[in-house]
Amino acid sequence: MVNHKFSSFGLSVIFLFLALFLFNSRAQAHCDAIDGPVVTAAVKALETGNVNLVLIWVNSEQEKEVIDSFQKTLKVRKLSPEAQKLADTYFFETVVRLHRESEGAPYTGLKPAGRDLGPAIRAGDEAVVKGSADEVLKILTDNVKKGLHEHFHDLVSKKNFDANDVEAGREFVASYVKFIHYVDGVYKATQKSGHDHSAETSVEATPPAKCDGH
């Protein structure tokens, strides 16, 4: 019975979660990476001479700065291989910085390629290529169900404590708070805009010390 309820819960929240997961803290780093989507678009723009390929990653107010940077880069990169490398890096940094700025997030520099940002990011990128989000759905559903099961069963195992055993009661309360914060954290995550870089929700990082209304 519990499994059926959890399965329904996982499927009901997962579609809202899809809009969020690409923009959590690790996904932000994905946008900052040399092999991330922003720099990849910048590379294609330089290779083809078409700045429009990268303008989609910034807003209209930032277009002029990107175009100016693009034109300067095209001129300088012709001078020598060393000049090309420096000019390209300058352009990549400009575009990533502006992209971060457009999302209300600080720029912390370009990140190296090849980092493992977790299965969700990889599945998300593959979903775009394949045109199917089935693997993303499975990863997110499995993780939400796993986390809920763990918190719930820990809570239930401590529920029937002796009313005179204060320490056991406190253990139950601590488990209860963690469970409620996990559930609330998942719910709030599903309500967030997928483009909210400035205030990330981390389900596991929700501090269990305060009950805030519970």
Side-chain angles (χ1 to χ4, degrees):
M1 180 177 179
V2 171
N3 286 341
H4 288 303
K5 287 185 177 180
F6 282 168
S7 179
S8 297
F9 169 84
L11 291 175
S12 67
V13 302
I14 213 65
F15 291 103
L16 290 173
F17 227 145
L18 289 174
L20 171 72
F21 88 99
L22 284 175
F23 294 93
N24 65 17
S25 57
R26 289 194 294 183
Q28 287 185 47
H30 182 48
C31 289
D32 287 357
I34 291 294
D35 56 350
V38 181
V39 174
T40 298
V43 170
K44 291 181 179 178
L46 291 173
E47 290 175 347
T48 62
N50 185 0
V51 71
N52 290 330
L53 298 179
V54 75
L55 288 181
I56 62 174
W57 290 96
V58 301
N59 60 42
S60 57
E61 290 76 17
Q62 299 168 321
E63 283 188 11
K64 185 179 184 304
E65 185 173 351
V66 173
I67 293 172
D68 288 345
S69 175
F70 181 73
Q71 293 173 342
K72 291 176 182 177
T73 300
L74 289 180
K75 292 179 181 179
V76 174
R77 71 197 309 261
K78 296 177 182 179
L79 300 177
S80 69
E82 292 77 12
Q84 178 177 332
K85 183 176 180 179
L86 290 173
D88 287 1
T89 299
Y90 157 73
F91 183 59
F92 300 157
E93 289 179 338
T94 298
V95 176
V96 170
R97 172 176 57 80
L98 292 174
H99 170 69
R100 297 275 290 178
E101 182 181 294
S102 72
E103 301 297 347
Y107 174 63
T108 57
L110 294 178
K111 304 301 187 296
R115 291 174 305 151
D116 183 5
L117 298 175
I121 299 297
R122 291 194 299 273
D125 279 339
E126 291 175 4
V128 176
V129 174
K130 296 178 180 178
S132 171
D134 289 347
E135 185 61 27
V136 178
L137 178 63
K138 182 180 185 304
I139 289 172
L140 296 182
T141 302
D142 289 349
N143 275 274
V144 171
K145 288 169 65 177
K146 180 176 182 291
L148 191 58
H149 273 295
E150 290 176 351
H151 285 80
F152 180 74
H153 288 303
D154 181 62
L155 173 62
V156 170
S157 70
K158 299 173 181 176
K159 181 179 179 180
N160 298 317
F161 60 90
D162 187 328
N164 295 314
D165 189 340
V166 176
E167 287 305 313
R170 285 171 177 162
E171 289 181 5
F172 165 75
V173 170
S175 183
Y176 167 79
V177 171
K178 289 179 181 179
F179 172 71
I180 292 299
H181 277 219
Y182 179 84
V183 172
D184 188 50
V186 171
Y187 174 77
K188 287 180 178 178
T190 66
Q191 304 304 303
K192 288 172 64 62
S193 165
H195 284 75
D196 186 355
H197 278 197
S198 58
E200 299 301 328
T201 295
S202 174
V203 173
E204 290 299 337
T206 304
K210 297 182 180 179
C211 217
D212 295 338
H214 292 288

